[in-house]
């Protein structure tokens, strides 16, 4: 069975889409790190040069995931699972930030750490990197290129090039963080998580890839007309609000003092909330009333969340970083509303004129 699945995955990759998707591919490669890293403030304005390797890792990683799912004719569940795999690659293999003791000022390095893993930090990154690196940028890009959203954008050669660039970017990111940032900026000794720990991460990535292919039809059936959806403005508020309980995980990592709550309870709560959000959004998006306006609202609310929460701790930032983030966030909001205007014009243009006179 396993060899049959691998064979089918390989066969799906060899299918050649039509040409002309390089604009959409480049847009996604830029949007993935722009939304997750720059707009959130994780990559500050004064070090925007870091965007180059982030485009190679996050951008090409999100692009490869999107291409595989579209070639499988899969749904968002498959994309989410592959996004989780990309996050594990970052946290266990590339920069290993969920394995080495947390070096960040104010972080509780021992709370939530067991068996060589920073579990609370890892759980948060699993959610953040799979959603804001993969799902949100892919959805925004497909709204920008609506006529090509259901088909692959790259031919086989382009997909191979994207994968090679991802590996190259991963090597650069590994060296920049493991060999330069940790010892030179944080003055920490080298940390070796061990081959078994890294190998378990690679094994988990492989399992998620196979599972993503097996469940590729989940959520791709006919929409349910019985499911009602709220107006788009409410989806913006809902999307914004849903992130806060999960984002609260980081408050335990950077708590002012050791929390008294057992970290196992924090982990259970975070996982339960993630499952609840998945089921809720799965029900909403499977409604026959779900539209491009709702997709826009979902991504806009999620982007507002990552921009707003990114200001936490900004009191210690340089002025250029604070004002630069504020300016970029404002530009992002303007760009989202320009996209909304475009979607509204497209929707009006596609609707037939009411009571059009007979011209025969």
């Amino acid at each position: 069975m396993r060899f049959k699945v691998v064979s089918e995955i390989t066969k799906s990759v060899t299918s050649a889409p039509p040409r002309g998707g390089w604009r959409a591919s480049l847009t996604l490669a830029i949007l993935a790190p722009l939304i997750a890293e720059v707009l959130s403030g994780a990559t500050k304005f004064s070090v925007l040069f870091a965007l180059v390797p982030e485009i190679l890792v996050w951008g090409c990683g999100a692009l490869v995931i999107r291409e595989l799912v579209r070639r499988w004719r899969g749904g968002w569940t498959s994309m989410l699972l592959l996004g989780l795999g990309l996050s594990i690659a970052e946290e266990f293999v590339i920069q290993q930030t969920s394995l080495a003791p947390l070096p960040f000022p104010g972080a509780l390095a021992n709370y939530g750490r067991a068996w060589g893993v920073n579990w609370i930090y890892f759980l948060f990154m699993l959610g953040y990197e799979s959603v804001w690196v993969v799902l949100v940028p892919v959805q925004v890009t497909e709204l920008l290129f609506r006529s090509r959203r259901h088909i692959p954008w790259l031919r086989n050669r382009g997909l191979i090039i994207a994968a090679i660039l991802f590996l190259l970017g991963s090597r650069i990111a590994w060296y920049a963080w493991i060999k330069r940032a940790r010892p030179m900026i944080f003055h920490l000794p080298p940390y070796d998580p061990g081959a078994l720990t890294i190998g378990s991460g690679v094994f988990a990535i492989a399992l998620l890839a196979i599972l993503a292919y097996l469940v590729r039809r989940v959520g791709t059936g006919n929409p349910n007309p019985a499911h009602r959806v709220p107006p788009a403005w409410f989806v913006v508020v809902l999307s914004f609000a849903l992130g806060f309980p999960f984002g609260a995980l980081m408050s335990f990592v950077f708590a002012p003092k050791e929390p008294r709550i057992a970290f196992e309870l924090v982990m259970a709560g975070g996982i339960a909330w993630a499952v609840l959000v998945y089921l809720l959004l799965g029900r909403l998006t499977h409604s026959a009333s779900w539209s491009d306006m709702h997709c826009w609202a979902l991504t806009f609310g999620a982007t507002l969340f990552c921009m707003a929460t990114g200001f936490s701790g900004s009191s210690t930032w340089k002025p250029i970083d604070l004002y630069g983030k504020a300016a970029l966030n404002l530009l992002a909001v303007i760009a989202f509303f320009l996209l909304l205007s475009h979607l509204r014009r497209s929707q009006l243009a596609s609707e037939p004129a009411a009571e059009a006179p007979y011209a025969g």
Side-chain angles (χ1 to χ4, degrees), residues 162-186:
I164 292 174
L165 290 176
F166 168 76
L167 294 175
L168 175 63
S170 299
R171 176 64 179 181
I172 295 173
W174 173 86
Y175 180 81
W177 180 256
I178 301 295
K179 299 298 184 180
R180 307 289 292 184
R182 283 186 60 88
M184 296 184 179
I185 297 178
F186 298 103

Side-chain angles (χ1 to χ4, degrees), residues 89-101 103-104 169-194 198:
E90 168 73 7
E91 299 301 319
F92 272 61
V93 182
I94 302 172
Q95 294 191 328
Q96 304 170 8
T97 43
S98 289
L99 300 182
F104 312 112
S170 299
R171 176 64 179 181
I172 295 173
W174 173 86
Y175 180 81
W177 180 256
I178 301 295
K179 299 298 184 180
R180 307 289 292 184
R182 283 186 60 88
M184 296 184 179
I185 297 178
F186 298 103
H187 307 291
L188 295 173
Y191 180 81
D192 182 13
I198 296 177

Side-chain angles (χ1 to χ4, degrees), residues 171-356:
R171 176 64 179 181
I172 295 173
W174 173 86
Y175 180 81
W177 180 256
I178 301 295
K179 299 298 184 180
R180 307 289 292 184
R182 283 186 60 88
M184 296 184 179
I185 297 178
F186 298 103
H187 307 291
L188 295 173
Y191 180 81
D192 182 13
L196 180 61
T197 304
I198 296 177
S200 65
V202 175
F203 180 69
I205 294 170
L207 287 182
L208 285 169
I210 295 174
L211 181 60
Y213 181 79
L214 292 176
V215 301
R216 64 193 183 279
R217 295 292 180 257
V218 173
T220 61
N222 294 327
N224 191 334
H227 291 175
R228 293 184 174 273
V229 295
W233 67 264
F234 184 83
V235 175
V236 173
V237 177
L238 178 65
S239 178
F240 182 80
L242 286 176
F244 278 97
F246 192 75
L249 286 172
M250 291 304 280
S251 67
F252 289 96
V253 176
F254 292 93
K257 59 182 179 179
E258 190 77 16
R260 296 182 180 275
I261 303 176
F263 88 87
E264 293 88 353
L265 294 178
V266 177
M267 290 288 295
I271 294 172
W273 184 256
V275 172
L276 177 64
V277 172
Y278 169 79
L279 295 175
L280 173 61
L281 295 183
R283 179 181 176 84
L284 290 177
T285 57
H286 196 58
S287 169
S289 302
W290 188 262
S291 66
D292 285 343
M293 298 298 182
H294 293 96
C295 292
W296 174 88
L298 192 62
T299 55
F300 181 51
T303 305
L304 282 178
F305 167 79
C306 84
M307 292 192 300
T309 56
F311 282 105
S312 60
S314 60
S315 58
T316 60
W317 292 4
K318 300 176 182 177
I320 187 177
D321 294 327
L322 180 59
Y323 297 136
K325 172 174 161 52
L328 290 174
N329 287 175
L330 178 60
L331 290 175
V333 171
I334 294 173
F336 263 101
F337 277 100
L338 289 175
L339 174 58
L340 176 63
S341 177
H342 171 71
L343 292 174
R344 283 175 172 170
R345 290 196 303 269
S346 300
Q347 185 181 49
L348 291 174
S350 63
E351 291 177 354
E355 298 182 359

